[in-house]
Amino acid sequence: IVMEREFWRGGNMLYPVPAVMVSLADKSGKANIITIAWTGTICSDPAMVYISVRSSRYSYNILKETGEFVINICTENLVSQTDTAGVKSGSKIDKFKELGLTKGKSKEVAAPYIQECPIALECKVSDIIPLGTHDMFLAKVLAVNVDKKYIDEKGKFDLKAANPIVYSHGEYYGLGKLLGTFGYSVRKNKV
């Protein structure tokens, strides 16, 4: 059976991607939140991540000036705040106040984390790479804090209980059911 295919010009169809709120603060301490979908892991040791931001965004200059930010993992119950943080500008509103979110004091960076989010990764920029529509901020993860209510009896983060969200071509989705665990396809069946 030959499947019909349609070919499009090169584009970003690597979906879904995480939908996160990135919190930061300028040198005077004024905090802001920006929603980011262009983010991910780039290295395990040292732990490194990236976020890509348009230079026209209000948060861009704060990132360049301070070199610090916090990636906050978003959940299904925060999808409205996640969307609003991405469409309203922090130059016009206090997003923490407007969205009813609570600033947490980070351990390693001046940028606050969002207490309502189950995981927060405190990051320090190590390099900025201009790429076109976005600049990529490469960063070391200096600390991770996790809401204890999502830690199971084995000390593992309970992803299912947290209900994280992803972004796919203009739409937000919850993560579905567990389909397998790393290496399950090659393990020998136990009888």
Side-chain angles (χ1 to χ4, degrees):
I1 297 175
V2 176
M3 304 279 293
E4 266 193 64
R5 304 288 294 187
E6 188 171 316
F7 290 88
W8 299 345
R9 70 173 178 83
N12 291 330
M13 291 294 292
L14 184 62
Y15 287 119
V17 293
V20 301
M21 287 188 280
V22 172
S23 50
L24 49 140
D26 65 17
K27 293 274 188 187
S28 72
K30 181 183 175 198
N32 191 43
I33 303 168
I34 181 173
T35 298
I36 298 284
W38 301 158
T39 184
T41 299
I42 56 175
C43 189
S44 299
D45 188 12
M48 292 185 71
V49 294
Y50 78 92
I51 60 172
S52 290
V53 182
R54 290 180 183 269
S55 63
S56 61
R57 298 294 298 262
Y58 172 70
S59 295
Y60 180 88
N61 287 328
I62 298 171
L63 287 165
K64 281 192 83 167
E65 176 185 274
T66 65
E68 296 181 346
F69 60 91
V70 179
I71 295 176
N72 301 274
I73 305 301
C74 298
T75 59
E76 289 180 17
N77 63 333
L78 293 172
V79 72
S80 178
Q81 291 96 324
T82 303
D83 186 60
T84 301
V87 295
K88 289 195 174 185
S89 176
S91 66
K92 296 180 174 43
I93 64 167
D94 176 340
K95 290 187 190 179
F96 273 95
K97 184 177 180 183
E98 178 98 3
L99 300 175
L101 298 172
T102 311
K103 292 178 210 168
K105 182 166 176 33
S106 295
K107 182 179 178 187
E108 298 292 333
V109 297
Y113 69 90
I114 301 171
Q115 287 187 3
E116 291 76 9
C117 293
I119 300 175
L121 290 78
E122 299 178 24
C123 304
K124 180 77 172 163
V125 174
S126 60
D127 199 8
I128 302 170
I129 303 172
L131 296 172
T133 58
H134 293 69
D135 286 357
M136 180 184 285
F137 291 78
L138 303 179
K140 290 185 177 174
V141 179
L142 303 181
V144 177
N145 75 60
V146 179
D147 186 332
K148 287 184 178 183
K149 75 180 177 185
Y150 297 107
I151 305 294
D152 68 17
E153 62 281 349
K154 294 179 183 173
K156 181 181 172 192
F157 180 75
D158 186 351
L159 186 72
K160 186 176 180 180
N163 294 315
I165 59 172
V166 294
Y167 178 82
S168 184
H169 209 63
E171 300 172 330
Y172 301 98
Y173 292 91
L175 292 180
K177 63 183 177 180
L178 176 66
L179 302 176
T181 59
F182 182 76
Y184 83 97
S185 63
V186 296
R187 282 190 206 110
K188 297 203 189 273
N189 292 337
K190 293 182 180 179
V191 180

